[in-house]
C-alpha cells in the first residue's frame, strides 16, 4: 500500500471506532511511524513505505482504534513547546494545564528566583512549563506513583536544566509536608486528582486507561485540595502563591478552602472554553 492509502485506511478505521478526531490522529500516527507529516504525505503519498514501517503503522492504528491514548502510542506529547515522555502509568499532559502555568507566572511576577513545589507532578508538565516562562524558577516535583516517576525523571533530565528535581512522596502525608520549613517557599503548584470517584466509570475510554491514582479525587473530588490547603499552604512565605488546577464545577468549593486556610486575593481563572480551570491565592 502507498502512504496515502495507509493514511486514508487509518482515518476510516479510527472514525469507525469512534475516535473523536480520526484525521488528526491518523496524521499523527503517519508522522510517527511513516515519517511523513501532512506536507510529506502530499509530496510522497504515492510512495510505498518499507514493510516494517507499514507494519508498525498498522499496529499503531489498531491500538488507537482500541482507544489506547494517542499520547501513549506516540511515546511523547508536546506541552508548551516541550516534548514530554509519556506512557502507561502517567497522566497525559493536557492543554488546559497551561492555564495553571500562566497564572503561576503572572502572579509570581518579578521575583528574582522563585522556589516552590509541584505536587502530584506526573510528567513534570507544570514545573517544566513554568520554567519556560520563568527560567529562573527552582521547582521540586513530588510524585507518588512508581510507574509515573521514571517519566518525571526523564523529562526533568531533558528539560529541567538543573533547576527542577524529583522526589517520591505522598501529597496526602502530614509527615512529608512536615519535612519542609513553614514559610520557606515562594509557591505551591498542583494539578491534583480531582474527579469524583463515582464519575470514573463514565469517563471516555481513553481517560479510563490513564492511572486512577492521577484521576481519583475522592468521593467529592476535593480530597487533595483539602490537603493542599491544610498541609502545604502553610509552607508558603507571606505574599507567596498557591495555585491549583480544578474541575470546571469546583471553583467555589476550592475558593472556600483557600480562604478558610487564610489565603487572600483568591482568584479563579478560566480556560479557553470559558470554564473555571485554576484557583490561586496569596499567603
Amino acid at each position: 500500500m502507498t502512504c496515502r492509502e495507509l493514511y486514508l485506511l487509518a482515518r476510516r478505521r479510527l472514525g469507525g471506532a469512534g475516535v473523536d478526531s480520526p484525521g488528526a490522529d491518523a496524521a499523527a500516527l503517519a508522522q510517527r511511524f511513516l515519517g511523513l507529516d501532512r506536507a510529506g504525505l502530499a509530496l510522497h503519498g504515492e510512495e510505498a513505505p518499507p514493510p516494517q514501517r507499514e507494519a508498525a503503522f498498522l499496529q499503531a492504528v489498531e491500538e488507537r482504534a482500541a482507544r489506547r491514548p494517542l499520547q501513549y502510542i506516540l511515546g511523547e506529547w508536546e506541552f508548551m513547546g516541550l516534548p514530554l515522555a509519556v506512557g502507561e502509568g502517567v497522566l497525559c499532559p493536557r492543554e488546559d494545564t497551561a492555564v495553571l502555568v500562566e497564572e503561576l507566572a503572572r502572579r509570581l511576577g518579578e521575583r528574582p528566583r522563585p522556589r516552590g513545589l509541584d505536587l502530584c507532578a506526573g510528567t513534570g508538565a507544570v514545573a517544566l512549563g513554568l520554567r519556560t516562562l520563568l527560567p529562573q524558577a527552582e521547582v521540586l516535583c513530588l510524585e507518588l506513583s512508581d510507574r509515573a516517576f521514571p517519566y518525571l525523571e526523564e523529562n526533568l533530565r531533558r528539560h529541567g536544566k538543573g533547576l527542577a528535581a524529583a522526589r517520591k512522596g505522598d501529597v496526602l502525608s502530614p509527615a512529608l509536608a512536615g519535612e519542609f520549613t513553614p514559610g520557606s517557599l515562594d509557591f505551591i503548584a498542583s494539578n491534583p486528582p480531582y474527579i469524583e470517584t463515582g464519575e470514573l466509570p463514565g469517563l471516555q475510554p481513553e481517560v479510563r486507561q490513564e492511572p486512577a491514582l492521577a484521576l481519583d479525587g475522592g468521593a467529592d473530588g476535593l480530597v487533595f485540595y483539602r490537603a493542599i490547603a491544610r498541609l502545604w499552604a502553610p509552607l508558603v512565605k507571606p505574599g507567596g502563591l498557591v495555585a491549583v488546577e480544578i474541575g470546571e464545577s469546583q471553583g467555589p468549593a476550592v475558593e472556600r478552602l483557600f480562604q478558610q486556610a487564610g489565603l487572600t486575593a483568591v482568584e479563579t481563572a478560566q480556560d479557553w472554553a470559558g470554564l473555571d480551570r485554576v484557583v490561586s491565592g496569596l499567603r
Side-chain angles (χ1 to χ4, degrees):
M1 299 178 70
T2 67
C3 292
R4 174 179 169 78
E5 289 170 336
L6 287 167
Y7 164 76
L8 293 174
L9 180 152
R11 192 171 69 179
R12 290 192 300 270
R13 178 74 178 94
L14 298 182
V19 172
D20 286 341
S21 53
D25 285 22
L29 294 175
Q31 183 166 356
R32 169 66 176 81
F33 293 97
L34 301 179
L36 296 176
D37 58 14
R38 289 188 183 275
L41 283 169
L43 291 172
H44 304 288
E46 303 311 314
E47 300 173 9
Q52 66 271 23
R53 284 195 173 227
E54 177 176 337
F57 177 77
L58 292 173
Q59 173 63 32
V61 170
E62 288 309 306
E63 291 178 12
R64 186 68 189 101
R67 310 302 289 273
R68 185 183 180 206
L70 178 65
Q71 296 91 330
Y72 290 174
I73 298 171
L74 299 177
E76 69 176 28
W77 196 253
E78 187 172 293
F79 178 77
M80 297 186 67
L82 300 173
L84 300 181
V86 295
E88 273 76 10
V90 70
L91 191 72
C92 298
R94 288 168 167 80
E95 187 178 21
D96 288 340
T97 301
V99 181
L100 172 59
V101 175
E102 290 162 357
E103 282 298 292
L104 282 162
R106 180 182 71 84
R107 300 200 71 179
L108 284 171
E110 301 300 321
R111 296 168 196 257
R113 194 159 189 167
R115 297 176 59 252
L117 301 177
D118 176 8
L119 308 179
C120 308
T123 60
V126 172
L128 294 171
L130 179 62
R131 295 207 64 255
T132 67
L133 301 181
L134 297 178
Q136 71 275 23
E138 296 183 25
V139 192
L140 176 62
C141 300
L142 299 183
E143 174 56 50
L144 176 63
S145 169
D146 289 332
R147 299 182 71 195
F149 204 75
Y151 296 105
L152 174 60
E153 289 187 306
E154 170 65 12
N155 290 325
L156 297 187
R157 184 190 66 78
R158 291 169 65 185
H159 304 298
K161 298 183 179 178
L163 292 178
R167 177 177 171 181
K168 289 288 294 296
D170 183 356
V171 170
L172 301 180
S173 167
L176 177 61
E179 294 182 22
F180 295 86
T181 303
S184 62
L185 301 173
D186 294 295
F187 67 91
I188 297 286
S190 185
N191 177 18
Y194 57 70
I195 297 173
E196 296 179 13
T197 304
E199 294 181 354
L200 294 177
L203 297 175
Q204 288 183 316
E206 290 87 348
V207 181
R208 293 201 303 271
Q209 295 190 47
E210 295 184 73
L213 188 66
L215 300 170
D216 190 347
D220 63 357
L222 300 175
V223 167
F224 284 85
Y225 301 118
R226 292 191 186 94
I228 290 168
R230 184 178 75 255
L231 301 176
W232 299 94
L235 303 180
V236 176
K237 63 182 63 172
L241 180 68
V242 180
V244 295
E245 183 170 331
I246 61 168
E248 61 188 67
S249 65
Q250 294 173 320
V254 176
E255 283 186 1
R256 284 193 297 273
L257 288 172
F258 277 19
Q259 290 163 350
Q260 291 165 3
L263 298 182
T264 62
V266 175
E267 300 178 3
T268 297
Q270 285 73 44
D271 60 23
W272 298 281
L275 302 174
D276 288 351
R277 189 57 59 196
V278 171
V279 174
S280 60
L282 301 178
R283 186 72 183 159

